[in-house]
Amino acid sequence: MAYNTKPSIERLPAIPAEVTAEWLESKLGHKVKSATLTRSIFGTGSKLFISIEYEEEIADPDSRPRNICVKGVFDPAMVKSQPWTLSLALREANFFAKIAPSIKHMGYPRGWWGGTSDRQGIAIMSDLTHEGCTFPSEAASYPVEKVLDGAAQIAGLHAQFWGRSQDDYPWISNDYDVAMKFITEPWDSVVREPGRPKLPEYLMDGARVKRAQEKYYAQRNPRFRTLLHGDTHLGNVYFTAEGHTRFLDWSAFHFASCFHDLVYFVSTTLEVEERRAHEMEVLDHYLATLHRLGGPKFERDDEELMIEYKRSYMTNIIWPVCGYDLQTKERVDAFTERTIAAWVDHKVIEVIEAQW
């Protein structure tokens, strides 16, 4: 794999038409005869799916991809209206360049090139659909076995980087909190828009919710700090051809509380009643796997642990105000319902307010 570890002076493609056969050839290291755009997905990160034909055959075809996903910010209007999306693209490119090659216990899409400039971050990955992978529908719910598998994947990442911080990796800044505060700023108006999911009255108070959000970000317990995937909701899950649960969209990784990843995954992947029935089983499995793979040993009778677990549901704050231009209405409404149920069940706002 060829990776660019410093911002490039080269102007990287900014729109799909600029991802040409010639440009791909320069990054993949093989002469490209043709590159055909087969489909595109636009959102907080744009994904261009491209089929490649090479000039020459080689002995080991697995050493170069024939079907790729080129991810970056290829929608100028989105970048203008949501400038924080650029930081996500830069971060994902850096993940494949600097972190992915060292990961031991967590699967992720195969990367072929990653590079950044001051206005773009691009990651070239294998197109998972051509590896037999499948993806959840907009608001699916899955059996607990799939969730346990995903929790073990999360534990694998966390165990490897347990206790590390930005002091160890100065280039991994926390842009996540800034982006979330930007998105939740119009809370009071968005939650009152016609057609939005109805919230309990106390959550209609945007000032209270945002104070809790600020307090959560400022007071994460460092005892549970590790490197996070950062965006483990169901929309960033895929299943391998063998049926294993894996995660894509590595554009929000940063150092923070481990339970951020776990609760965000559990509460979006299970419907409310399933989450209530199996949540502690999943937590126990996560804790056991974390310890087995080299992380610390924790138990649920640890009061500090359970407080941090409940507080971490603040991660879900995006869904009640997520724009329907960023995610489908079906997904936003379903995940909002699951979020609010978890907030009420765990008294998330109240637990945060009661701390210090």
Side-chain angles (χ1 to χ4, degrees):
M1 302 179 197
Y3 288 119
N4 193 18
T5 58
K6 295 181 180 179
S8 173
I9 59 173
E10 171 193 3
R11 181 184 176 275
L12 296 177
I15 58 175
E18 294 177 350
V19 182
T20 62
E22 293 75 16
W23 185 82
L24 288 169
E25 181 177 298
S26 72
K27 304 311 174 191
L28 297 175
H30 295 277
K31 289 192 174 296
V32 174
K33 182 177 181 180
S34 66
T36 304
L37 180 66
T38 58
R39 61 190 176 100
S40 305
I41 299 175
F42 293 97
T44 53
S46 303
K47 299 175 184 177
L48 311 178
F49 297 90
I50 296 173
S51 177
I52 298 175
E53 183 180 358
Y54 293 96
E55 291 282 1
E56 302 171 349
E57 294 298 326
I58 60 174
D60 181 13
D62 289 338
S63 66
R64 61 185 185 181
R66 293 191 177 275
N67 297 279
I68 59 172
C69 171
V70 180
K71 188 173 180 186
V73 283
F74 297 109
D75 182 351
M78 172 65 75
V79 178
K80 185 175 181 180
S81 65
Q82 305 286 348
W84 52 271
T85 57
L86 174 58
S87 71
L88 300 183
L90 295 172
R91 189 161 297 249
E92 182 139 42
N94 278 325
F95 167 79
F96 281 99
K98 301 179 181 182
I99 294 293
S102 70
I103 291 180
K104 300 175 181 176
H105 305 297
M106 190 178 196
Y108 51 87
R110 183 173 182 179
W112 295 96
W113 184 85
T116 64
S117 69
D118 59 344
R119 297 184 180 182
Q120 179 64 288
I122 293 178
I124 301 178
M125 301 166 277
S126 293
D127 182 350
L128 294 171
T129 58
H130 287 269
E131 297 179 358
C133 298
T134 57
F135 306 88
S137 59
E138 291 300 304
S141 180
Y142 283 88
V144 68
E145 291 75 20
K146 295 284 191 187
V147 181
L148 292 171
D149 191 16
Q153 286 284 295
I154 292 169
L157 175 71
H158 292 177
Q160 182 176 344
F161 294 92
W162 194 267
R164 301 292 183 89
S165 72
Q166 194 175 343
D167 292 339
D168 303 294
Y169 298 84
W171 59 274
I172 304 180
S173 59
N174 184 351
D175 299 327
Y176 183 89
D177 296 1
V178 176
M180 289 302 103
K181 286 190 280 189
F182 178 86
I183 291 171
T184 56
E185 182 57 35
W187 183 281
D188 287 298
S189 58
V190 174
V191 299
R192 290 173 170 79
E193 290 175 356
R196 299 290 303 195
K198 184 173 177 56
L199 307 186
E201 188 59 35
Y202 78 102
L203 294 178
M204 301 296 282
D205 183 351
R208 182 182 182 186
V209 171
K210 287 184 283 186
R211 281 196 303 271
Q213 179 190 27
E214 187 74 40
K215 191 171 184 180
Y216 169 65
Y217 291 157
Q219 297 179 344
R220 295 186 185 96
N221 191 330
R223 185 181 170 209
F224 304 103
R225 184 179 58 229
T226 189
L227 182 67
L228 307 182
H229 173 286
D231 202 18
T232 50
H233 68 78
L234 180 63
N236 290 335
V237 166
Y238 69 97
F239 304 107
T240 67
E242 297 74 30
H244 299 305
T245 305
R246 299 291 184 264
F247 295 90
L248 44 76
D249 276 346
W250 289 83
S251 58
F253 68 96
H254 62 286
F255 290 99
S257 173
C258 65
F259 298 120
H260 168 129
D261 275 349
L262 186 65
V263 301
Y264 203 30
F265 170 59
V266 171
S267 61
T268 55
T269 308
L270 293 173
E271 291 181 344
V272 173
E273 292 306 320
E274 287 293 292
R275 191 258 309 156
R276 287 170 175 161
H278 298 290
E279 187 172 7
M280 292 300 103
E281 177 186 353
V282 177
L283 175 56
D284 286 341
H285 184 64
Y286 165 84
L287 295 176
T289 308
L290 179 73
H291 182 55
R292 178 173 59 81
L293 295 177
K297 183 174 178 56
F298 292 124
E299 302 288 349
R300 267 198 288 127
D301 60 3
D302 182 329
E303 184 178 2
E304 270 192 10
L305 182 147
M306 290 310 299
I307 288 173
E308 188 68 12
Y309 178 85
K310 293 174 182 179
R311 293 174 78 251
S312 295
Y313 269 104
M314 184 53 66
T315 303
N316 295 50
I317 194 170
I318 186 175
W319 295 111
V321 289
C322 183
Y324 294 140
D325 59 331
L326 299 180
Q327 297 280 347
T328 66
K329 179 174 172 53
E330 180 185 4
R331 175 170 288 167
V332 171
D333 290 358
F335 289 2
T336 297
E337 177 191 8
R338 296 174 193 182
T339 289
I340 298 309
W343 279 15
V344 171
D345 290 348
H346 292 297
K347 302 186 183 303
V348 174
I349 299 293
E350 296 89 334
V351 168
I352 293 172
E353 290 174 337
Q355 288 297 110
W356 304 292

